[in-house]
Amino acid sequence: MDNNSKNLSSLRPMMNISEMVPYLKQKNIKFNLISEDDAETYLKYNNNYYNVTAYKHNFQKYPSPAGKYEGLYQDLDFAYLKDLAIIDHRIRLLLFKMIIDIEHYLKIKILNTIEEIEDEDGYRIVNLYLEKDFNDEKFPKRVHNSIFKKVGNEYYQKIFSKYDVDKDKKLENIPAWEFLEIITFGELVNFYDFYTKEYNLVDENRDVYILRDIVKLRNAVAHNTCVLSELNKKDNAYPASYKIVQYLKDCNIGKVTRNNKLSNSRIRQITYTLYMFNEIVTSDGIKENVNKEINKLFFDRIILHKEYYNNNELLKSIYSYFKNIIEKNYVNIDKCIIVNDVRLIF
């Protein structure tokens, strides 16, 4: 037997659907609110085992020593996991929509700022950036190569046909308004970083760190990665931007809570998205549409089975944290009246 065969033989075998429920029961996950048969059907036709069980990390286990219950979950029904999976799916759809808008309006902001810079014609900054990319010591031609890959797409061929692009040619003289449409969101943020430094736009450059975290969230939701799992994990020790600190202060969120919640990468990324959306999107129509969706999701669907989480201090505290942010910054227009052009909440 070769080494590869030995390694494969030591791997845990894939569980069949019929084995999943018994395995979860061994972890003390209950099936009181949903039958075992219905749980199996859900795992077979609606979601996969890995995704659904990812949310179990948000629930407490019996501490040591606890006898036969040690290491098992204290208060967890499969229905709780299913509920979180549904909520997570809806949150991802909403976040993806918001992040696409953030990306779009960041492009508009860049183009509007370019018009205000006397030495900028919409070509200079792109040429400088592509020159830097072409000669980068660590990652030469990373943006060039990314663009070349996309030129195979019919839409992008139309954009770039005038530049006679080929793999041996150095890209140049691409106008900013076309360049922004060919690069990824991550590349857009890198370009924004370069651009704001080149023209000494200090305040705008502070948004780069916020935008980088939003890119990470965008990649997660675009690939249907769970965003509500392991919310108790402390995996981000970087200090938050002063803009975010002030934002949360305005939401009456104290220092201890700020530090605690922002120490989780996913909570931080969602917080940054909520902040940046209202900062950069200028369309009242888009904002009102998102406000409606946020309020419907947060004050309707998320709390539909709030009794499931009566004993879960982690999830209750996270809900309270985002509730403060939403009530301060995402007004439910359905609960407003207009008096002399002033919006009053009731």
Side-chain angles (χ1 to χ4, degrees), residues 302-320:
I302 289 179
I303 61 173
L304 180 63
H305 298 295
K306 61 182 179 181
E307 70 277 4
Y308 289 178
Y309 313 105
N310 284 340
N311 299 323
N312 193 313
E313 296 303 321
L314 170 68
L315 295 181
K316 288 196 296 183
S317 69
I318 293 171
Y319 183 86
S320 177

Side-chain angles (χ1 to χ4, degrees), residues 91-129:
I91 287 176
R92 290 198 306 272
L93 292 177
L94 178 56
L95 287 172
F96 190 65
K97 178 186 293 187
M98 295 175 71
I99 293 170
I100 286 176
D101 287 332
I102 289 171
E103 180 180 5
H104 175 71
Y105 282 91
L106 177 61
K107 294 175 184 178
I108 291 176
K109 181 176 182 179
I110 291 171
L111 293 175
N112 287 340
T113 311
I114 282 176
E115 287 187 8
E116 299 170 0
I117 299 173
E118 185 175 347
D119 296 332
E120 183 54 62
D121 58 2
Y123 291 87
R124 178 182 181 274
I125 191 64
V126 177
N127 280 335
L128 287 174
Y129 185 68

Side-chain angles (χ1 to χ4, degrees), residues 154-210:
E154 183 180 350
Y155 170 74
Y156 292 118
Q157 280 182 342
K158 290 178 181 178
I159 292 179
F160 277 83
S161 60
K162 70 186 75 174
Y163 302 113
D164 192 25
V165 175
D166 61 67
K167 291 186 178 181
D168 298 317
K169 188 175 180 181
K170 180 179 175 182
L171 294 172
E172 57 185 349
N173 294 327
I174 304 174
W177 53 92
E178 292 185 7
F179 177 69
L180 297 182
E181 293 304 318
I182 194 69
I183 56 178
T184 67
F185 187 24
E187 291 162 357
L188 175 66
V189 174
N190 289 337
F191 174 73
Y192 188 64
D193 184 26
F194 176 84
Y195 158 69
T196 52
K197 286 176 179 174
E198 175 68 21
Y199 289 113
N200 198 32
L201 304 174
V202 178
D203 189 62
E204 287 84 351
N205 187 259
R206 292 192 178 104
D207 288 337
V208 169
Y209 302 99
I210 297 172

Side-chain angles (χ1 to χ4, degrees), residues 5-156:
S5 297
K6 289 180 181 178
N7 290 334
L8 287 174
S9 65
S10 65
L11 295 177
R12 187 172 64 183
M14 177 178 175
M15 280 194 295
N16 296 323
I17 297 291
S18 60
E19 298 173 313
M20 293 175 182
V21 169
Y23 181 76
L24 292 174
K25 290 174 72 175
Q26 290 177 17
K27 303 288 185 182
N28 205 37
I29 295 175
K30 310 293 185 184
F31 291 84
N32 296 329
L33 299 174
I34 183 172
S35 72
E36 294 179 21
D37 288 342
D38 286 345
E40 282 192 14
T41 300
Y42 180 75
L43 289 169
K44 186 172 184 178
Y45 295 108
N46 297 92
N47 214 328
N48 66 63
Y49 176 87
Y50 177 80
N51 283 342
V52 176
T53 58
Y55 307 108
K56 69 181 185 292
H57 300 294
N58 294 325
F59 295 85
Q60 286 192 334
K61 293 181 178 180
Y62 284 99
S64 179
K68 66 177 183 178
Y69 291 104
E70 188 170 325
L72 303 182
Y73 290 97
Q74 291 188 43
D75 177 25
L76 179 52
D77 193 286
F78 186 84
Y80 305 175
L81 301 177
K82 178 183 175 183
D83 188 54
L84 283 174
I86 294 169
I87 292 170
D88 194 319
H89 174 69
R90 297 191 182 186
I91 287 176
R92 290 198 306 272
L93 292 177
L94 178 56
L95 287 172
F96 190 65
K97 178 186 293 187
M98 295 175 71
I99 293 170
I100 286 176
D101 287 332
I102 289 171
E103 180 180 5
H104 175 71
Y105 282 91
L106 177 61
K107 294 175 184 178
I108 291 176
K109 181 176 182 179
I110 291 171
L111 293 175
N112 287 340
T113 311
I114 282 176
E115 287 187 8
E116 299 170 0
I117 299 173
E118 185 175 347
D119 296 332
E120 183 54 62
D121 58 2
Y123 291 87
R124 178 182 181 274
I125 191 64
V126 177
N127 280 335
L128 287 174
Y129 185 68
L130 289 173
E131 177 77 23
K132 176 180 178 294
D133 174 71
F134 192 84
N135 298 303
D136 190 274
E137 292 184 3
K138 281 189 175 182
F139 305 103
K141 297 189 284 187
R142 182 165 57 179
V143 177
H144 278 71
N145 292 336
S146 175
I147 291 175
F148 286 134
K149 287 179 182 178
K150 292 174 187 170
V151 170
N153 179 291
E154 183 180 350
Y155 170 74
Y156 292 118

